[in-house]
Amino acid sequence: MTTGLLHNWPEPKAPGRVVVLGCRGFVGGAIMADLKARSVPCLGISAVELDLLSPAAGEALAAKLHPDDALVIVSALTPDRGKDIATFMKNQRMMEAVCAALADKPVAHVVNIGSDAVYPDDASLIDEATPTAPGGFHGMMHLARELMLRSTVKCSLALLRPSLLYGAGDTHNGYGPNRFRRTAAKEGKITLFGAGEEKRDHVEIGDVARVVRLVLQHRSQGALNIATGRAASFHEVADLVASHFPNKVEIVELPRSGPVVIIHRHFAVGAMLRSLPGFRPVALEEGIAAAHKEVAHG
Amino acid sequence: MTPTVGFVGMTHLGLLSAAAAAAKGCRTIAADPDTSRIAALEAGRLPVVEPGLPEQIEEHRARLTFTSDGRSLAACDLVYVAPDVPVQADGSSDTAPVDRLLAWARETVRLDAVLVVLSQVPPGFTRKRSAPGAALYYQVETLIFGRAVERAMRPERYIVGCADPAQPLPTAFADFLSIDGCPILPMRYESAELAKISINLCLVAQLSVTNTIAELCEGVGADWREIAPALRLDRRIGPHAYLGAGLGIGGGNLLRDVATATRLAGECGSDATVLAAYEANSRRRGDWAHTTLHRVLAGVAEPKVAILGLAYKVDTAETLNSPGVALAQALRGGDLRLHDPVVDPKPYGLCAATPLEACAGRDVVAIMTPWAAYRALDPAALARTMRGRVVLDPWDALDAAKCKAAGLDRYVLGVSS
């Protein structure tokens, strides 16, 4: 089975206008900034301009779309806004509005930013051929949204599934580099569950923006995970974050409760490397250093 | 009595089998309706690279007749239909050439002659082609690219698919098979057809286990080269087991049989999850070269790479599922220099006249087919001509100590680096 992207434009071309839905968030903002830096015509739409949960959201979005547009969908209520049924249903209603708009006003290319949460929580080595089997509402939400798009979109559809993201502009406070940096700065310590043995693949936010740009430039379709191919333990991440502070940062290991099951999560990135020759994800050391510097310099 | 034997379909399998029959003392008719193919053979131009085959044909040429005239088959007691079976993009077999040549042979073979399908066909194929006239059999071929002459001359056994295995084999067929003195195993058509797939699936299983453990070795600091000999001494595994770590499952035939068995299991409702795992493992290990490059070249902007070897293995020009070609395609657009002693590199990138020329000024050298010419490379000379120090040597072609002395960073399958 072949995995990865199919490029409808084997040679990169400038896409037409790119509409970024959810342009003010951590991910959407990075995508907008990257496109604007390369003078790609963009229309950013955030929840301020368009509430996808409003009854007329579909019509309102349709009114903004042109046939030659590429639509990048980032808008979603992230897990920090809720991991419950209500949040799940809101996310589906948001995508329902997007699909209604796309059915009414088809565009030339759709790129959806989903998540690796569509894969089983206990999958230790993941690639695009790994069967999707989400273990929670967040992953189920992304998988259902992908299915909604697959059933609606008639043009090229790219489904991108990034692993854990980090970067200076991250407003979320999930367990990982961003939270570690904040607690190290504020409290002089980083707290780990157990010894932080679990390995995860951490993706620098700029890589997502670069992949999106390449996907737009090639009018690519298919499903692709965004990962670096190197999983690091949370302890390694904590050590890296701590190394950027002038004062010693204490790394606290909280005893785990109950039976300990350590689950690692690695990504096989062959499809990404094949699909995007020349693209090299930012190494964790480099990305954490850059994020630290960016935060330190405001 | 030595029978007169015909072979229809002068591609790899048919040509090789015809040459072997002639070498065993049989008058042999090597037929193909493609006149240009026959003209090339008459002129001594072979369509395949196979060690020993040109010499064998030359030595036994007096007993070997190349012809595109199907009427010549009337002289044969036994006629094999043996075209190569192309593998399609989805991994399935295209058996149309077998049907075409079977029909062509049936126009002229004698009613008392024996027709044998030698090409690999899926279970059920031969019984559906049973028809009045010459008796029809199926025989399992076990050709191995690069070792085909040896295998054809010294078979381990013959597996013969029959309409009714309780009936004795026709004399001409039995006489021909008896020349080698190896066991002859008659069985029903479907069993023989599935036996061929079974052999390949067992090999796939060995390779998949090998590749799985080789990857583990790389992770835990072990060396598969130290483990494999210990396994070979285990009687339950054996000295000839497929324990060479590889870049997934090489070539197209083994994966074709995984695809065939998966399809059959789907039709029958039997469990094929392990086959899917073999396929997935093969794909992931097939990415070893460029994922390793990705890992070790993290700090090198626009690396210059030399790829040595585009054939899927040594002693063949076959490039289907070739790791070298896959790497060249994965690095397309980058700064590549390519070399292969047999395969023309031009379709894949810029080529060099010699291996060392390909390596000049390169950050990385990837030896993707362990040709003898590459095994003979002097690591010191390699280090002098390269710009960088990274050598991907999946099959351990170079001398480890010399590479270390030359300061090369060598990456070998199944070895922790």
Side-chain angles (χ1 to χ4, degrees):
Chain A
M1 175 179 175
T2 302
T3 59
L5 296 174
L6 170 71
H7 297 317
N8 290 294
W9 295 341
E11 295 304 318
K13 291 184 196 177
R17 186 179 71 156
V18 179
V19 177
V20 180
L21 197 53
C23 66
R24 294 198 186 177
F26 175 48
V27 179
I31 292 170
M32 282 290 286
D34 182 82
L35 293 173
K36 280 184 174 173
R38 280 152 188 84
S39 304
V40 176
C42 295
L43 171 65
I45 302 175
S46 72
V48 176
E49 290 91 34
L50 175 60
D51 178 5
L52 285 172
L53 288 169
S54 69
E59 287 171 25
L61 176 59
K64 294 176 186 288
L65 297 178
H66 301 162
D68 294 336
D69 283 345
L71 176 65
V72 179
I73 305 165
V74 191
S75 300
L77 301 176
T78 46
D80 55 309
R81 307 272 293 275
K83 296 180 180 178
D84 53 6
I85 297 171
T87 310
F88 172 83
M89 296 307 293
K90 282 180 187 171
N91 270 315
Q92 301 318 310
R93 282 188 6 238
M94 290 165 70
M95 188 57 85
E96 184 183 18
V98 174
C99 288
L102 287 170
D104 184 30
K105 295 281 283 294
V107 295
H109 191 196
V110 176
V111 180
N112 184 60
I113 310 298
S115 166
D116 72 326
V118 298
Y119 299 114
D121 290 342
D122 60 354
S124 61
L125 178 61
I126 291 170
D127 68 10
E128 290 75 4
T130 302
T132 50
F137 282 119
H138 178 64
M140 185 63 80
M141 174 272 284
H142 277 298
L143 190 58
R145 286 167 61 129
E146 287 185 359
L147 186 57
M148 292 164 80
L149 286 170
R150 283 184 202 270
S151 67
T152 304
V153 172
K154 306 295 183 221
C155 63
S156 301
L157 171 64
L159 302 170
L160 305 181
R161 298 166 177 168
S163 179
L164 298 176
L165 302 178
Y166 69 94
D170 187 12
T171 53
H172 312 118
N173 207 30
Y175 184 59
N178 302 312
R179 186 200 291 185
F180 293 170
R181 190 181 61 247
R182 288 189 188 104
T183 59
K186 190 175 175 185
E187 304 165 21
K189 69 176 183 184
I190 295 171
T191 304
L192 298 174
F193 297 118
E197 300 98 324
E198 300 94 335
K199 293 180 180 176
R200 296 288 183 274
D201 194 318
H202 299 276
V203 177
E204 202 271 332
I205 185 63
D207 283 338
V208 177
R210 282 185 283 277
V211 169
V212 168
R213 175 169 26 98
L214 290 168
V215 164
L216 290 167
Q217 289 172 334
H218 287 283
R219 189 148 287 179
S220 312
Q221 64 187 71
L224 188 77
N225 300 327
I226 305 178
T228 69
R230 179 195 158 203
S233 72
F234 284 108
H235 206 300
E236 287 176 78
V237 173
D239 286 340
L240 273 174
V241 169
S243 71
H244 291 282
F245 287 88
N247 301 324
K248 180 171 169 56
V249 174
E250 185 188 2
I251 295 182
V252 180
E253 298 180 1
L254 278 185
R256 298 176 195 264
S257 56
V260 177
V261 180
I262 305 292
I263 296 172
H264 305 292
R265 199 164 174 89
H266 298 262
F267 281 80
V269 292
M272 186 185 74
L273 299 176
R274 272 196 309 277
S275 297
L276 306 172
F279 171 71
R280 295 214 204 143
V282 172
L284 185 62
E285 294 81 357
E286 200 183 323
I288 284 180
H292 187 86
K293 195 172 170 186
E294 195 176 332
V295 170
H297 292 84
Chain B
M1 184 180 157
T2 308
T4 297
V5 186
F7 289 87
V8 176
M10 282 302 106
T11 42
H12 198 166
L13 176 65
L15 176 61
L16 175 100
S17 305
K24 291 173 189 176
C26 298
R27 186 185 161 214
T28 304
I29 309 293
D32 196 301
D34 185 334
T35 51
S36 60
R37 187 172 285 155
I38 293 299
L41 290 169
E42 287 279 15
R45 295 193 304 274
L46 306 190
V48 293
V49 174
E50 191 61 64
L53 184 59
E55 296 81 0
Q56 189 179 54
I57 289 174
E58 190 181 336
E59 186 181 347
H60 304 286
R61 189 69 178 79
R63 281 194 291 274
L64 188 56
T65 302
F66 292 114
T67 180
S68 55
D69 184 353
R71 289 171 299 184
S72 304
L73 297 173
C76 300
D77 307 301
L78 177 64
V79 175
Y80 281 93
V81 177
D84 291 348
V85 175
V87 179
Q88 302 179 107
D90 64 355
S92 64
S93 300
D94 174 9
T95 53
V98 185
D99 275 322
R100 274 198 300 276
L101 291 181
L102 183 59
W104 189 66
R106 274 182 161 148
E107 289 174 10
T108 51
V109 294
R110 299 195 315 259
L111 289 180
D112 66 338
V114 178
L115 264 175
V116 184
V117 173
L118 187 60
S119 308
Q120 187 180 343
V121 293
F125 178 95
T126 313
R127 193 172 297 281
K128 282 183 190 157
R129 272 76 179 170
S130 294
L136 183 65
Y137 288 83
Y138 166 74
Q139 183 181 316
V140 171
E141 55 83 12
T142 54
L143 182 153
I144 299 177
F145 287 109
R147 288 178 52 204
V149 171
E150 169 207 331
R151 298 274 299 176
M153 293 306 293
R154 284 187 290 280
E156 295 148 319
R157 73 308 199 206
Y158 283 121
I159 302 168
V160 179
C162 315
D164 179 2
Q167 299 299 315
L169 294 179
T171 306
F173 193 17
D175 286 350
F176 179 62
L177 296 182
S178 300
I179 291 173
D180 297 299
C182 65
I184 300 169
L185 306 171
M187 56 187 75
R188 68 185 75 172
Y189 287 137
E190 293 79 4
S191 297
E193 290 160 339
L194 191 56
K196 169 61 185 171
I197 294 171
S198 308
I199 292 166
N200 281 349
L201 290 187
C202 285
L203 300 179
V204 166
Q206 291 178 347
L207 287 169
S208 300
V209 169
T210 294
N211 290 338
T212 298
I213 303 172
E215 186 174 12
L216 266 181
C217 287
E218 293 165 21
V220 304
D223 186 337
W224 174 248
R225 297 169 304 183
E226 295 169 347
I227 297 171
L231 300 188
R232 289 188 195 285
L233 289 171
D234 189 307
R235 274 194 285 272
R236 295 163 300 177
I237 299 170
H240 303 294
Y242 266 33
L243 300 182
L247 298 169
I249 309 294
N253 293 342
L254 297 181
L255 285 174
R256 172 187 62 189
D257 286 350
V258 172
T260 302
T262 302
R263 180 179 57 74
L264 291 171
E267 288 170 11
C268 301
S270 59
D271 179 30
T273 47
V274 69
L275 301 180
Y278 294 153
E279 195 275 339
N281 180 261
S282 174
R283 182 165 28 77
R284 285 172 182 151
R285 289 303 277 171
D287 286 334
W288 179 89
H290 70 270
T291 51
T292 302
L293 272 185
H294 163 68
R295 179 165 53 87
V296 301
L297 288 179
V300 181
E302 298 180 6
K304 296 173 185 290
V305 179
I307 298 176
L308 304 183
L310 297 169
Y312 102 88
K313 61 187 251 187
V314 296
D315 295 332
T316 178
E318 178 65 53
T319 57
L320 184 65
N321 286 352
S322 152
V325 169
L327 182 61
Q329 288 172 339
L331 299 175
R332 65 189 180 277
D335 190 340
L336 292 181
R337 289 290 181 282
L338 311 173
H339 180 272
D340 190 283
V342 172
V343 179
D344 179 9
K346 285 194 190 76
Y348 311 105
L350 290 174
C351 46
T354 67
L356 270 186
E357 185 186 312
C359 301
R362 304 282 99 186
D363 296 300
V364 177
V365 170
I367 302 174
M368 301 307 290
T369 316
W371 290 101
Y374 305 154
R375 289 185 185 278
L377 284 172
D378 174 15
L382 201 57
R384 278 195 300 275
T385 196
M386 287 175 66
R387 183 171 83 171
R389 285 292 170 266
V390 174
V391 176
L392 298 191
D393 185 10
W395 285 283
D396 198 18
L398 300 180
D399 183 282
K402 288 181 180 172
C403 285
K404 191 174 179 185
L408 295 174
D409 297 329
R410 199 169 66 111
Y411 296 83
V412 176
L413 278 172
V415 182
S416 176
S417 299

